[in-house]
Amino acid sequence: HEKLLILDAGAQYAKVIDRKVRELMVESIIKPLSTPAHEIKAAGYKAIIISGGPQSVFGSEAPKYDPKLFDIGVPILGICYGMQLINHVFGGTVETKGTREDGQFDIDVDSKSLLFKDFKEKSTVLLTHGDSVTKVASGFKQIAKSPSGICAAIEDEKRNIYGVQFHPEVDLSLDGMAMLKNFLVQIAHFKCDFTPASREEEAIKEIRQQVGNNDVLVLVSGGVDSAVCAALLKKAIGKERIYAIHVDHGFMRMDESKTVVQALGSIGLDIKVLSVSKTFLKATTKVDGKETPPLEECIRPEWKRKIIGDTFMVVSEEAIRGFKLDINNVLLAQGTLRPDLIESASTVVSSNAQVIKTHHNDTQLVRQLRDKGRIIEPLKDYHKDEVRELGKSLGLPEKLVWRHPFPGPGLAIRILCANKPFDITEQEVKKTAAELEKYNKDGIYATLLPTRSVGVQGDARSYKQLVALTSEKAPKWSTLFKLAKEIPKKVHNCNRVVYVFGKPIKQSYLTSITETYLNKETSDQLREADDIVTQLLVENKLVKKVAQLPVILFPCDFGVKGGRGIAIRTFITNDFMTGIPATPDKDIPEAVLNEMNETILKKVKGISRVCYDLTSKPPATTEWE
């Protein structure tokens, strides 16, 4: 395949450029901006994109580059920092102006330029820059300008070098894909033959070469990556040499184990399923040399995770021993994806890093295989949505392919366990409730709940109380989101704010809970609620809109003896490091949320109220525990 080189100037967007270029069926490789020109030339790239970056071209921190890069003779597109670097190298001027432009703007474009071929006069783009091109370099001309008259794109048609001051790779640049396509097809003449089918063939060829005559061990979690990984291996080397294990610890989503076994069974791959929920509930482990209570009596989140992780190792170890595998003739397959590798590879620390996902299924054999480098990562060249497409083409069912990411310990960390209401003193409870009273206005009430969740505040984990907002009228979401931003900043005992559906709660704090532990009853309660939410998400074609959707069971009874709360946590993100909740009627229809609330209350026994999580990350984490 013809290849495009993305030179990374330290942008958070390099991964997104890579993703979009591949969507246009062109193979792309990401390397640091400092890559020597002779190396680039020898590799035979057909064109180059220089990414954005946080530095200034004349700053002491500016990333290093090889000036001979511009003499290689292939088409070059500079994005943001990339454009400023091109202008600077060819003798133009770049200055820090008084005006920063950050956000969506309509720029004027010259549609006679090949870069903007078939564009209208104006295009909506995302601009983010402090420095600006104030004098265009000799041989170049301006081909776009921002509303404040700042140069937004340049070209040197003779040398096929172009620069844009905006981010064509993000969705906020409405014609960004059309512009990238013009660069790849009109200017660089790519054939665009990096198709899913051709890539699948290459992946299969690579697997066969790497595996040779070895056996392969796959730990199938129930998520999409490991299932697709197993299916691709089966297509490449047949089922006889694949040993697949799935551990059902009792905290899987509804029919999860059955779905993954049937899905892989339907393409002819057998999985050894270990149904060990009782083993897990009775399990204990040691923390700091002391024995924990059994999982079914455990309240502390970090102990729950540790017991589950350690028990996973013990259970998997036994199953692997049953296979009688020879460590010298076995490889471990992992579902590591391209973004995992890019994240480590594009940091300065290691430009050829290989990331290995550390699973909770980290057994002795798995560790030995890792130490010996006997790991195979068949999906290392794929982004998440490409994995889903590959899964469909390998014959896996839509239901499995579109599953949301799911934590290893499963529903166990989505059931908040407690045997008493508050962990703060009565005095602190009253003080915090008093601080919340100033938010009671316009028919909205703020109430302190006797439940804690995990958050991130000031780069550290915080474990603080939950605040509920309720409303006399239909919810005014913009006001609720504003309060959810403000309250954790001002009220220091809180890190998460939820909206509670239904009638308003006028007390300043609630004090009663239903004791909650991990057992069949609580797991079934959450499983049913989670399934209702998932089904409605699928039926309304919203799975792709939301990156993750944890559903949480928590001990607050809302005044109903024996009752518990359910929280719906929508999460929209590109990088999973930061994210925001979905806005009703913008990202997710309010009618669907109302249906989730009504169906859960009607069908799941023992649920007294349903809440909608309004908090961004930070200050709250994606998961509640």
Side-chain angles (χ1 to χ4, degrees):
H1 292 289
E2 306 164 324
K3 287 187 178 66
L4 170 97
L5 175 64
I6 297 168
L7 289 175
D8 183 2
Q12 51 176 335
Y13 296 112
K15 213 176 6 181
V16 192
I17 300 171
D18 177 71
R19 173 71 211 89
K20 297 291 185 185
V21 166
R22 284 162 172 256
E23 222 168 277
L24 293 164
M25 309 293 179
V26 169
E27 184 172 2
S28 50
I29 307 291
I30 298 179
K31 285 190 175 289
L33 182 58
S34 56
T35 307
H38 67 85
E39 208 178 283
I40 296 172
K41 198 169 181 177
Y45 295 105
K46 198 173 168 72
I48 296 168
I49 291 180
I50 303 171
S51 84
Q55 304 301 338
S56 177
V57 285
F58 36 74
S60 58
E61 300 286 302
K64 303 276 177 282
Y65 67 96
D66 183 343
K68 296 198 183 80
L69 163 67
F70 299 100
D71 304 330
I72 295 173
V74 298
I76 295 176
L77 169 66
I79 294 176
C80 291
Y81 179 87
M83 160 165 145
Q84 294 170 10
L85 179 67
I86 288 166
N87 194 60
H88 175 69
V89 166
F90 287 98
T93 54
V94 176
E95 294 175 78
T96 307
K97 299 283 278 186
T99 345
R100 268 197 74 87
E101 289 181 305
D102 287 298
Q104 261 183 320
F105 294 88
D106 290 336
I107 60 168
D108 297 315
V109 301
D110 176 357
S111 56
K112 293 193 289 292
S113 163
L114 275 180
L115 198 60
F116 299 122
K117 186 176 186 282
D118 299 330
F119 272 49
K120 298 196 172 73
E121 281 173 19
K122 285 195 184 297
S123 182
T124 304
V125 300
L126 175 72
L127 287 170
T128 55
H129 64 105
D131 291 355
S132 305
V133 165
T134 47
K135 181 173 153 255
V136 175
S138 157
F140 285 80
K141 68 171 187 187
Q142 176 175 305
I143 50 169
K145 68 173 194 291
S146 78
S148 60
I150 289 172
C151 175
I154 56 174
E155 73 171 11
D156 177 337
E157 215 178 340
K158 264 206 189 79
R159 280 180 292 206
N160 261 342
I161 300 178
Y162 295 77
V164 294
Q165 190 52 75
F166 54 90
H167 288 281
E169 73 278 16
V170 300
D171 300 340
L172 292 174
S173 295
L174 303 187
D175 306 313
M177 280 301 262
M179 196 219 82
L180 284 173
K181 190 173 183 180
N182 281 342
F183 176 70
L184 296 171
V185 177
Q186 303 291 335
I187 294 164
H189 307 298
F190 275 97
K191 289 197 202 83
C192 302
D193 57 358
F194 191 54
T195 60
S198 73
R199 297 176 60 187
E200 189 182 311
E201 268 169 49
E202 281 164 37
I204 285 171
K205 204 166 87 185
E206 196 180 322
I207 289 168
R208 285 177 182 153
Q209 275 173 346
Q210 205 181 338
V211 172
N213 298 320
N214 290 299
D215 293 326
V216 179
L217 172 66
V218 196
L219 300 161
V220 180
S221 65
V224 60
D225 304 345
S226 60
V228 172
C229 176
L232 187 62
L233 281 161
K234 190 254 165 193
K235 187 168 180 179
I237 62 170
K239 65 176 188 176
E240 288 71 24
R241 292 188 286 144
I242 298 173
Y243 294 87
I245 293 175
H246 170 72
V247 177
D248 176 3
H249 45 30
F251 307 114
M252 307 305 281
R253 290 174 284 199
M254 186 73 81
D255 297 334
E256 184 128 45
S257 298
K258 202 164 83 187
T259 304
V260 76
V261 170
Q262 281 174 351
L264 291 171
S266 71
I267 58 164
L269 188 63
D270 299 327
I271 301 189
K272 181 170 182 155
V273 178
L274 312 173
S275 300
V276 281
S277 54
K278 285 200 178 99
T279 311
F280 273 81
L281 287 176
K282 301 286 176 209
T284 65
T285 192
K286 281 199 163 59
V287 176
D288 300 330
K290 287 195 184 112
E291 184 98 6
T292 63
L295 185 61
E296 59 188 356
E297 295 169 25
C298 210
I299 283 166
R300 293 175 62 164
E302 62 278 24
W303 287 5
K304 280 160 53 178
R305 277 180 185 270
K306 180 102 167 70
I307 294 170
I308 292 169
D310 291 354
T311 310
F312 234 106
M313 285 161 56
V314 174
V315 169
S316 308
E317 198 89 65
E318 280 170 27
I320 293 167
R321 272 206 297 273
F323 287 143
K324 298 192 168 39
L325 295 174
D326 173 1
I327 183 135
N328 297 310
N329 296 315
V330 70
L331 295 173
L332 172 69
Q334 291 200 150
T336 313
L337 305 190
R338 184 167 173 82
D340 300 326
L341 293 170
I342 292 173
E343 254 152 45
S344 63
S346 64
T347 51
V348 194
V349 191
S350 58
S351 42
N352 54 359
Q354 186 109 6
V355 173
I356 305 230
K357 279 188 176 172
T358 47
H359 296 105
H360 45 280
N361 30 19
D362 189 12
T363 69
Q364 190 56 39
L365 176 69
V366 169
R367 240 173 291 143
Q368 286 174 322
L369 291 170
R370 243 189 232 138
D371 294 344
K372 286 179 181 272
R374 297 185 68 77
I375 301 276
I376 179 168
E377 294 168 315
L379 304 178
K380 65 180 184 304
D381 212 25
Y382 287 82
H383 287 264
K384 188 73 167 189
D385 44 349
E386 296 174 311
V387 169
R388 297 193 201 276
E389 290 304 320
L390 176 61
K392 283 196 285 193
S393 79
L394 290 166
L396 293 174
E398 193 91 356
K399 188 181 170 190
L400 174 73
V401 163
W402 278 105
R403 287 239 135 144
H404 274 147
F406 192 54
L411 299 175
I413 61 159
R414 292 180 179 174
I415 296 171
L416 270 53
C417 299
N419 56 6
K420 63 180 202 289
F422 284 103
D423 272 343
I424 51 178
T425 62
E426 193 179 340
Q427 199 183 346
E428 280 286 307
V429 169
K430 287 180 176 164
K431 178 176 167 277
T432 307
E435 287 173 19
L436 289 170
E437 275 175 14
K438 70 170 186 208
Y439 299 103
N440 296 349
K441 50 178 181 247
D442 307 326
I444 290 172
Y445 300 91
T447 305
L448 187 66
L449 296 184
T451 297
R452 298 189 309 164
S453 83
V454 172
V456 227
Q457 288 169 301
D459 288 344
R461 285 169 83 78
S462 69
Y463 201 48
K464 293 184 181 175
Q465 301 304 136
L466 195 58
V467 173
L469 298 176
T470 51
S471 175
E472 281 176 342
K473 301 189 277 278
K476 194 174 175 202
W477 295 104
S478 57
T479 307
L480 294 170
F481 278 117
K482 208 166 125 194
L483 289 173
K485 265 205 181 93
E486 205 174 304
I487 290 170
K489 282 184 192 156
K490 301 276 167 69
V491 183
H492 295 301
N493 272 325
C494 309
N495 61 8
R496 194 180 295 268
V497 180
V498 298
Y499 170 72
V500 183
F501 292 95
K503 57 183 190 298
I505 301 167
K506 295 186 179 179
Q507 300 99 303
S508 59
Y509 61 96
L510 299 182
T511 56
S512 56
I513 66 159
T514 298
E515 282 201 26
T516 301
Y517 299 97
L518 293 179
N519 52 38
K520 189 172 185 317
E521 179 211 352
T522 53
S523 300
D524 286 348
Q525 254 182 333
L526 180 54
R527 214 184 324 272
E528 278 179 60
D530 178 85
D531 193 48
I532 289 165
V533 170
T534 303
Q535 292 306 332
L536 284 167
L537 216 57
V538 172
E539 282 165 28
N540 291 282
K541 302 192 167 40
L542 293 166
V543 178
K544 301 176 193 181
K545 276 268 187 171
V546 188
Q548 244 176 314
L549 208 166
V551 178
I552 294 101
L553 180 77
F554 62 101
C556 184
D557 66 8
F558 294 97
V560 178
K561 195 167 169 49
R564 292 187 178 96
I566 282 285
I568 295 166
R569 166 62 157 158
T570 54
F571 195 63
I572 294 178
T573 178
N574 282 323
D575 58 8
F576 287 95
M577 303 300 287
T578 58
I580 54 166
T583 303
D585 279 346
K586 177 181 160 233
D587 307 307
I588 188 168
E590 189 169 352
V592 174
L593 288 180
N594 290 333
E595 195 179 342
M596 287 174 180
N597 168 45
E598 287 153 24
T599 314
I600 289 169
L601 291 177
K602 197 163 82 190
K603 294 194 169 169
V604 186
K605 275 214 308 263
I607 300 303
S608 34
R609 296 291 279 262
V610 176
C611 318
Y612 187 69
D613 194 335
L614 300 165
T615 329
S616 296
K617 174 183 180 180
T621 46
T622 315
E623 299 286 351
W624 278 33
E625 203 169 88

